[in-house]
Amino acid sequence: MNIKNIAIVGGTHGNEYTGVYLIRKLRINQFQEKWNGLNIDLLIGNPKAYEKCVRFIDHDLNRSFGKKDLTDFELPGYEANRAKVISQKIDPKDSPKTDFIIDLHTTCANMGVSIILVNDNIYNFKMASYIKSKIPNCHIYYIPTESYAEHHFLNTLSPYGFALEVGPIPNGIVRHDIFNQTSNTIDVALEFINMTNSGENPEVDNAIEVFIHRKTVEFPKDKEGNINAIIHENLQDKDYQPLKKGDPIFSTLEGEIVTFEEDEILHPVFINAAAYYYKNIAFSLTEKVSVDTKKGLTKA
Ligand SMILES: [Zn+2]
């Protein structure tokens, strides 16, 4: 397999500045020359939202890449159009011209460096495993879907690549440490691509730890529908750590403690992420599995 055309997108969410600043830095620093042989397109996803320091103008851009939406030209709103522009530029779903996409994000949640996969092909798992061998504290988070064509993430424009989610960092600022972690991860991914392009088979572990998305958990609400609980302090910042029956998850405004009631141990992510309050989402739950990097995910 030869990966030649790569798109790196920053600012898909306008208030996540790290990606935007990084794209600007890469444009200044002859990034393309450093990776001679690879054709790298550097793109700002949502420039209008970035100008206003908001996640989006009319609709979340990273929920706008389902095949149906991309072919619905009646769909109103800035992001509906922006998704079509990006799709035409980097990768029309029916005739892919970009081989690999890295979509840069940040979060207020304590996610560290998270490699988010939406396609479970072996190449993606091998690459993620290679990144983990170089950046051991990174996490691999896989979000499966029933219908890949209808998956609405920007990354689904190509089967290869990942979304990079780094945190914790507030929206609307840049931090040197988060910036460097993001930049290093891109370098390691491109190094892997260069190696596989030249016929090398980079050494990776036989098995990697992957967190598979299960579901989102909403905040408790009062009769009027307002959120009336806070993430419990024991859960705050405990992204990717095991959550078991009886563990406190919320403290309600009435002073009650709400506990986790699932029988199996699951691993929460995006805990108390600012981006999801408007959807009433408190955190997501994942299942920790071991994936064979030679076979990939074996579906039950
Ligand atoms: Zn984002």
Side-chain angles (χ1 to χ4, degrees):
M1 178 158 127
N2 202 0
I3 287 181
K4 190 154 175 55
N5 298 311
I6 295 163
I8 305 178
V9 186
T12 298
H13 292 133
N15 54 5
E16 298 172 9
Y17 280 12
T18 307
V20 177
Y21 276 65
L22 193 50
I23 294 291
R24 288 171 52 201
K25 185 192 174 189
L26 300 182
R27 281 177 178 160
I28 297 166
N29 287 9
Q30 280 91 39
F31 184 64
Q32 178 65 66
E33 281 166 37
K34 180 181 168 191
W35 296 101
N36 199 10
L38 301 175
N39 192 6
I40 302 171
D41 202 359
L42 301 168
L43 200 75
I44 306 290
N46 197 331
K48 219 167 160 179
Y50 168 62
E51 244 172 59
K52 290 189 153 52
C53 190
V54 291
R55 184 172 171 88
F56 54 82
I57 302 290
D58 297 310
H59 183 70
D60 191 331
L61 179 61
N62 206 28
R63 306 289 183 272
S64 303
F65 291 90
K67 203 169 178 177
K68 213 161 88 200
D69 287 352
L70 287 175
T71 48
D72 181 355
F73 290 89
E74 306 277 294
L75 214 58
Y78 173 68
E79 281 81 8
N81 284 320
R82 190 69 196 145
K84 291 176 183 80
V85 170
I86 293 171
S87 158
Q88 281 308 311
K89 184 169 165 51
I90 63 177
D91 226 353
K93 266 191 174 172
D94 293 328
S95 56
K97 51 186 178 187
T98 297
D99 307 314
F100 194 95
I101 300 173
I102 303 176
D103 185 24
L104 305 174
H105 292 260
T106 56
T107 173
C108 307
N110 188 25
M111 294 285 280
V113 173
S114 294
I115 311 291
I116 303 185
L117 303 176
V118 288
N119 191 306
D120 63 348
N121 60 67
I122 299 271
Y123 190 87
N124 282 348
F125 279 124
K126 257 194 119 166
M127 174 212 53
S129 179
Y130 182 75
I131 294 174
K132 194 155 176 67
S133 74
K134 300 286 174 181
I135 305 169
N137 59 358
C138 83
H139 290 103
I140 302 160
Y141 176 18
Y142 169 54
I143 306 179
T145 177
E146 294 281 304
S147 158
Y148 184 67
E150 282 316 318
H151 208 311
H152 43 210
F153 287 171
L154 187 150
N155 262 106
T156 59
L157 292 176
S158 168
Y160 304 105
F162 59 95
L164 180 54
E165 190 79 60
V166 189
I169 179 172
N171 290 327
I173 68 158
V174 186
R175 283 175 56 122
H176 198 195
D177 51 356
I178 300 282
F179 187 86
N180 282 344
Q181 286 166 24
T182 307
S183 175
N184 289 343
T185 311
I186 293 174
D187 280 347
V188 174
L190 296 179
E191 189 181 289
F192 177 83
I193 290 171
N194 257 349
M195 288 167 89
T196 54
N197 279 352
S198 64
E200 268 181 73
N201 195 4
E203 208 168 296
V204 296
D205 284 344
N206 290 333
I208 44 163
E209 185 183 78
V210 176
F211 294 85
I212 302 184
H213 184 83
R214 278 285 195 83
K215 58 182 169 184
T216 54
V217 176
E218 292 200 356
F219 281 105
K221 283 180 261 177
D222 62 19
K223 286 191 197 95
E224 282 81 44
N226 300 309
I227 291 175
N228 75 338
I230 306 165
I231 297 279
H232 193 277
E233 59 183 332
N234 289 8
L235 179 61
Q236 181 63 49
D237 301 331
K238 301 284 166 48
D239 300 73
Y240 293 109
Q241 292 181 34
L243 190 60
K244 57 181 192 312
K245 198 171 185 169
D247 285 346
I249 51 176
F250 296 114
S251 170
T252 71
L253 299 186
E254 287 90 19
E256 280 165 19
I257 303 298
V258 179
T259 55
F260 186 62
E261 285 309 316
E262 308 263 345
D263 288 323
E264 59 179 332
I265 292 174
L266 292 170
H267 297 255
V269 293
F270 286 119
I271 298 168
N272 212 0
Y276 302 136
Y277 267 74
Y278 81 102
K279 290 179 174 175
N280 289 325
I281 294 172
F283 55 91
S284 291
L285 287 169
T286 69
E287 177 190 359
K288 187 166 111 173
V289 299
S290 175
V291 171
D292 186 323
T293 44
K294 286 194 183 71
K295 291 188 195 139
L297 209 59
T298 35
K299 292 189 187 83

